[in-house]
Amino acid sequence: MPLPRILIVDDNVEVRLSAAYFLEDQGFEVIEADSPSTAKQLLSVTSFDIILLDMNFARDTTSGQEGLDFLTWLQAQQGAPAVLCITGWGSVKLAVKALQLGASDFIEKPWQNAALLVSIQQQLALQKKQQTQLNQTLQPELETDIEFVWQSASMQTLERKLSRLAQSNAAILLCGESGVGKSHLVSWLHQHSSRATGPLVSVNMGALSESLFESELFGHVKGAFTDAKQSREGRFTMASGGTLFMDEIATLSMPLQAKLLRVLETGEYEVLGSSKTIRSDIRLICATNADLPACVAQGTFRQDLFYRMNTFVFELPPLRERQADIIPLASYLLAKHATRYGMATKSMDDKVIRTLQTYPWPGNIRELSHVMERALLMSEGSQIELQDCQLRLARPSIPDDATPNTLSETTGTLAEMEKRMIMDVMTQEGGVISLAAQKLGLTKSSLYRRLDKYGLKHDA
């Protein structure tokens, strides 16, 4: 499933980056806009689940009128996402006006990350409930899901190998670039395994904070720590009798790797706050886009944990290397999105087909899915045309006067800005990771990943 997508609309780059850091660590896809006009351009070509909207943009303006104007515009758009208004100049009058114009919540700066996350989760839960109610009104044939059949020789070979292992409980490690379809294969493996009637539980290891790692994986009893107001099941317990999928396994810090290794070696764990030992009953599948042998050689990933996970290792080729899958997959995704929105699917004209086959797909299947979703919603004719796909659009924040043809020129702007900010904060905090991470609103493991990403030196 695609990650929930959040649009941050704020003219303060530090506010945007701080929010993006936090929300990405929580498993969201974040796109930025520095003004309402930029937000309108992005909304015209892609969809979002939540908008975080600043209310003031012009210098020395504190009335919130710009935010209210944007909300008025948004009300007239079909399928508008939920809006959480955020401002440093809050008032009861402004909050009432915003809520009357369709805002779902009103949050004052500086916000508390925990409160912001709760508000976002509440809106996503409400959307899920509404979508479930909508799906129940659709015709039965729209509820059926047809299994995709790979056309490329490489994927057919891979699927044959996996089919021989599906019925076993052997640990499997799936490798490959981000978005190549690892989660799809995990679902396929589970459905074809002897555990198909059991649960499939997924956990993004990169989104787990160090403080909540044990609680998330092993669960906790009421009173185990200060905020443990009620008992909670961990992912190992939830997946009992089924499959546990650990995505982004390479993002774990060394201390967390040690905690995970123990349960994988012994098959036993304790719920946080309890002395009772529980025997795990899960089939483990892990995935990563990192080069784990290289991580082991560099000392950032434990060799014993690597050996415990890699009973069978499979590399998924990028989409650009399996051209035979591109058009069938595009048609499949169009049909899936059409079902999701209660629409009729559409065919693609010849120009679209030729372009999709030659496009390099740096974002792989995930990017193709977003393109097909956007094309379906933007298309006005009986067929998908090339202009509906908007393949050259870049995702970073863009200037107010940008046009769709110049959006791609801003690629890399956000990355450069992020690198400069991290360098500045690291200098300010004397290179102390814990202090810099706290100031940036990141977990230490997230900051380490970004330092490695940009080739910035740091103490291990």
Side-chain angles (χ1 to χ4, degrees):
M1 292 294 293
L3 299 177
R5 194 181 304 167
I6 297 178
L7 175 62
I8 303 174
V9 190
D10 198 301
D11 58 350
N12 187 318
V13 64
E14 293 187 2
V15 169
R16 296 200 310 270
L17 286 176
S18 176
Y21 285 155
F22 172 67
L23 294 173
E24 286 172 353
D25 284 341
Q26 302 304 315
F28 298 107
E29 177 185 358
V30 179
I31 298 177
E32 300 178 43
D34 56 11
S35 69
S37 60
T38 299
K40 290 177 183 179
Q41 291 181 24
L42 290 169
L43 284 163
S44 71
V45 293
T46 191
S47 59
F48 297 91
D49 298 291
I50 303 285
I51 297 177
L52 302 185
L53 175 67
D54 187 23
M55 299 300 286
N56 299 293
F57 294 87
R59 194 176 297 275
D60 300 325
T61 295
T62 59
S63 68
Q65 188 58 49
E66 291 163 298
L68 295 176
D69 291 342
F70 180 80
L71 286 171
T72 301
W73 173 84
L74 194 63
Q75 269 193 324
Q77 311 305 309
Q78 289 186 346
V83 179
L84 308 182
C85 296
I86 300 175
T87 181
W89 301 91
S91 68
V92 174
K93 183 178 179 181
L94 180 59
V96 170
K97 285 185 177 179
L99 294 173
Q100 288 174 338
L101 289 171
S104 300
D105 203 352
F106 195 90
I107 302 171
E108 291 194 36
K109 296 178 182 177
W111 65 77
Q112 296 294 318
N113 281 344
L116 177 63
L117 181 59
V118 167
S119 184
I120 290 173
Q121 289 173 335
Q122 287 175 341
Q123 293 306 314
L124 291 175
L126 178 60
Q127 291 174 12
K128 184 176 181 181
K129 181 179 179 180
Q130 292 171 339
Q131 184 62 46
T132 299
Q133 293 172 343
L134 175 62
N135 289 342
Q136 291 173 351
T137 67
L138 299 177
Q139 297 177 357
E141 59 266 24
L142 291 180
E143 297 175 358
T144 61
D145 187 16
I146 301 172
E147 186 175 291
F148 180 73
V149 178
W150 299 105
Q151 302 299 309
S152 65
S154 60
M155 288 302 293
Q156 289 177 353
T157 299
L158 176 58
E159 203 165 79
R160 283 197 300 271
K161 291 179 179 178
L162 290 174
S163 66
R164 292 196 288 270
L165 301 173
Q167 291 291 318
S168 75
N169 284 325
I172 291 178
L173 175 63
L174 300 176
C175 303
E177 295 179 7
S178 179
V180 291
K182 296 186 286 290
S183 59
H184 173 91
L185 280 185
V186 172
S187 297
W188 186 91
L189 276 166
H190 178 72
Q191 291 166 9
H192 290 78
S193 74
S194 59
R195 295 171 171 263
T197 57
L200 169 60
V201 177
S202 301
V203 54
N204 184 339
M205 306 302 277
L208 295 184
S209 66
E210 297 202 20
S211 60
L212 295 178
F213 176 83
E214 290 178 282
S215 174
E216 287 287 340
L217 287 190
F218 311 131
H220 65 254
V221 299
K222 182 178 179 180
F225 48 89
T226 303
D227 294 325
K229 296 182 171 33
Q230 58 185 9
S231 298
R232 177 179 177 178
E233 280 192 340
R235 306 302 175 98
F236 273 88
T237 303
M238 293 166 60
S240 183
T243 304
L244 180 59
F245 172 42
M246 294 185 178
D247 199 7
E248 296 190 25
I249 191 70
T251 61
L252 281 181
S253 66
M254 294 295 276
L256 299 187
Q257 291 176 34
K259 293 179 179 179
L260 177 60
L261 177 64
R262 183 246 174 177
V263 66
L264 296 186
E265 283 185 331
T266 66
E268 297 178 341
Y269 64 95
E270 290 81 37
V271 173
L272 198 60
S274 170
S275 59
K276 181 181 178 181
T277 298
I278 300 174
R279 184 76 184 175
S280 70
D281 178 22
I282 57 103
R283 198 267 182 85
L284 179 67
I285 303 177
C286 297
T288 181
N289 57 12
D291 184 345
L292 280 184
C295 293
V296 171
Q298 295 165 6
T300 59
F301 200 85
R302 294 179 63 115
Q303 187 177 54
D304 45 5
L305 178 58
F306 175 59
Y307 289 150
R308 179 63 57 179
M309 297 182 327
N310 76 336
T311 305
F312 292 95
V313 183
F314 296 95
E315 182 84 20
L316 276 73
L319 185 58
R320 61 184 174 273
E321 293 180 7
R322 34 181 162 136
Q323 197 173 63
D325 286 329
I326 294 176
I327 302 307
L329 190 55
S331 298
Y332 172 79
L333 292 169
L334 274 172
K336 290 279 285 186
H337 289 307
T339 298
R340 174 186 171 192
Y341 290 107
M343 302 168 59
T345 191
K346 296 183 179 183
S347 61
M348 297 170 283
D349 70 18
D350 292 343
K351 191 171 183 180
V352 170
I353 291 173
R354 289 194 301 271
T355 303
L356 296 185
Q357 287 176 323
T358 56
Y359 184 73
W361 298 110
N364 292 296
I365 296 175
R366 184 177 296 123
E367 182 182 7
L368 177 59
S369 178
H370 290 166
V371 168
M372 291 298 98
E373 178 184 12
R374 185 165 58 231
L376 177 70
L377 296 175
M378 295 299 296
S379 174
E380 296 179 350
S382 59
Q383 280 191 315
I384 301 296
E385 299 179 0
L386 190 56
Q387 63 266 26
D388 301 324
C389 298
Q390 298 288 343
L391 281 172
R392 297 184 63 223
L393 278 177
R395 289 183 180 174
S397 178
I398 54 178
D400 289 348
D401 59 352
T403 65
N405 289 332
T406 61
L407 290 176
S408 60
E409 297 173 6
T410 63
T411 302
T413 300
L414 178 58
E416 293 165 3
M417 195 176 299
E418 181 181 57
K419 180 179 178 180
R420 286 198 300 270
M421 178 170 285
I422 290 175
M423 292 171 63
D424 290 343
V425 172
M426 286 289 288
T427 300
Q428 294 167 14
E429 301 300 335
V432 179
I433 295 292
S434 59
L435 296 178
Q438 184 177 9
K439 191 167 185 178
L440 289 165
L442 294 169
T443 61
K444 288 195 292 184
S445 60
S446 295
L447 179 53
Y448 276 123
R449 292 199 302 274
R450 285 172 169 83
L451 290 170
D452 292 337
K453 173 183 176 181
Y454 296 122
L456 300 176
K457 293 182 179 180
H458 59 84
D459 293 331

